[in-house]
Amino acid sequence: MSVFDLYSKRQKRARGEAIDVYTYDTFPTPFRVQLHYMVQDLLGDAGDYHRWPKPQETYIDIVKILRKEYGQQSLTKINYSDAFSELHNFVLQEPDVEKCLDAVELCYMAGDVVTRSMHYLNRSDPRTHVDDCVAELNDRFKEAGLGYELIDWKIVRIDSQLLHSEAVKPAIGFLNAKGFEGARDEFMGAYEHYRHGNHEETLVDALKAFESTMKIILKANDKDFAPSDTASKLVLACSQAGLIASYNEQHLTSLVNVLTSGIPTIRNRNGGHGQGGSLRVVEPEIVAYGLHLTASAIVMLAGLESKRRR
């Protein structure tokens, strides 16, 4: 399950051929073959499928879910006699990247639920095995230049590795704290919409997550706010309650301006009103900006709150 730094990889880096721009719409054949092997490492190979009941049940459940959600009697053009072959050939051949990612996400969710047990293939350290499988998947995404990562058993899209590591992942980490469940679901929902290209829904859920985070923090500190308060009113409430750290008045004003004119304005102009007589297109660059701004705001707000709780 390790990713080996082969000679050919080192030579590509030395020649400046390393992939540094993410792609999203196609999966190269070598990566699909790697997926095939990684799913086997996680859930079991063909021998395990025919020898043990748990891998059979797991593969059958995954295939049933995908068939039902897609409204298909089979995931592939060829009708395979077993779920193992059907799922793996789907991963190898399905041209729609989003559907392939559906299968990958389900496989790793199943891995988290069932393969961490000692009874699954009698692995000596099943929990570490699953964690290593997740780490390899994310390393392979990065190595292939594919802008995706598995976080908390959900596939999320990455636009910038720096923004992802400095804003998105810390935001998810903070929102995993007790009491932030609603905001976390909204934030992850925004990324799920983003991955599927539902841009207006992305902005709406991002704003909900931002507002929910502030409401949770205000409530935790016994500060007043109205349930119907908009983002700008909630930012003001946080500022007046001293929940937003400031080194000086100018800095606080600038911070409040960024928060109030950033996420809420993007949503109000692009995601919250009727389209009228013409079709409105929300540019993906604007959506990415809104998501990353939301993540940065959540990191700041939740980070300060975690310090107060110590």
Side-chain angles (χ1 to χ4, degrees), residues 254-268:
S254 299
L255 177 58
V256 172
N257 285 340
V258 168
L259 296 175
T260 56
S261 66
I263 303 158
T265 301
I266 290 173
R267 190 261 176 165
N268 289 340

Side-chain angles (χ1 to χ4, degrees), residues 29-45:
T29 298
F31 177 74
R32 287 182 180 270
V33 174
Q34 289 171 340
L35 277 179
H36 159 70
Y37 285 120
M38 286 188 288
V39 171
Q40 288 188 84
D41 286 338
L42 179 65
L43 301 181
D45 59 25

Side-chain angles (χ1 to χ4, degrees), residues 226-267:
S228 59
D229 277 353
T230 61
S232 57
K233 290 183 178 179
L234 292 167
V235 168
L236 182 60
C238 287
S239 173
Q240 292 176 341
L243 300 177
I244 299 176
S246 62
Y247 300 103
N248 52 53
E249 186 65 27
Q250 183 178 357
H251 176 72
L252 175 60
T253 302
S254 299
L255 177 58
V256 172
N257 285 340
V258 168
L259 296 175
T260 56
S261 66
I263 303 158
T265 301
I266 290 173
R267 190 261 176 165

Side-chain angles (χ1 to χ4, degrees), residues 55-276:
Q56 287 189 35
E57 293 171 8
T58 302
Y59 277 109
I60 289 171
D61 286 344
I62 292 170
V63 167
K64 281 183 176 179
I65 290 170
L66 291 172
R67 284 179 179 177
K68 186 175 182 180
E69 292 304 317
Y70 298 152
Q72 299 174 193
Q73 292 184 328
S74 176
L75 298 178
T76 55
K77 293 180 179 179
I78 299 175
N79 291 321
Y80 292 96
S81 60
D82 60 275
F84 176 90
S85 298
E86 184 171 346
L87 179 66
H88 280 273
N89 279 280
F90 177 75
V91 169
L92 287 167
Q93 300 170 9
E94 172 56 47
D96 188 330
V97 164
E98 289 191 354
K99 287 187 175 181
C100 183
L101 287 173
D102 288 340
V104 172
E105 189 176 80
L106 280 176
C107 287
Y108 281 81
M109 288 174 68
D112 180 48
V113 174
V114 299
T115 70
R116 287 186 184 273
S117 167
M118 291 288 291
H119 301 295
Y120 196 95
L121 299 181
N122 290 336
R123 289 167 176 158
S124 58
D125 190 355
R127 301 185 70 84
T128 299
H129 180 86
V130 174
D131 292 340
D132 289 345
C133 286
V134 172
E136 182 185 359
L137 173 65
N138 288 333
D139 285 343
R140 296 290 184 190
F141 275 134
K142 188 181 300 184
E143 183 180 69
L146 301 170
Y148 299 100
E149 183 169 359
L150 183 74
I151 305 178
D152 285 355
W153 315 108
K154 293 287 187 182
I155 298 288
V156 298
R157 173 173 161 149
I158 302 171
D159 290 281
S160 160
Q161 186 60 44
L162 177 63
L163 285 170
H164 185 70
S165 60
E166 296 296 324
V168 177
K169 291 182 75 171
I172 294 171
F174 281 126
L175 294 179
N176 277 329
K178 185 177 181 180
F180 284 85
E181 293 85 357
R184 178 188 178 281
D185 287 348
E186 289 162 348
F187 188 68
M188 295 300 290
Y191 267 88
E192 187 69 8
H193 282 307
Y194 185 46
R195 178 162 74 87
H196 290 286
N198 302 323
H199 292 161
E200 292 195 28
E201 292 85 349
T202 300
L203 295 177
V204 171
D205 273 3
L207 179 61
K208 287 179 181 178
F210 178 55
E211 292 174 342
S212 293
T213 300
M214 289 188 287
K215 288 178 180 179
I216 292 165
I217 291 172
L218 286 163
K219 184 176 180 179
N221 289 275
D222 296 322
K223 304 301 180 183
D224 293 330
F225 66 93
S228 59
D229 277 353
T230 61
S232 57
K233 290 183 178 179
L234 292 167
V235 168
L236 182 60
C238 287
S239 173
Q240 292 176 341
L243 300 177
I244 299 176
S246 62
Y247 300 103
N248 52 53
E249 186 65 27
Q250 183 178 357
H251 176 72
L252 175 60
T253 302
S254 299
L255 177 58
V256 172
N257 285 340
V258 168
L259 296 175
T260 56
S261 66
I263 303 158
T265 301
I266 290 173
R267 190 261 176 165
N268 289 340
R269 290 181 180 173
N270 292 298
H273 302 290
Q275 298 193 63

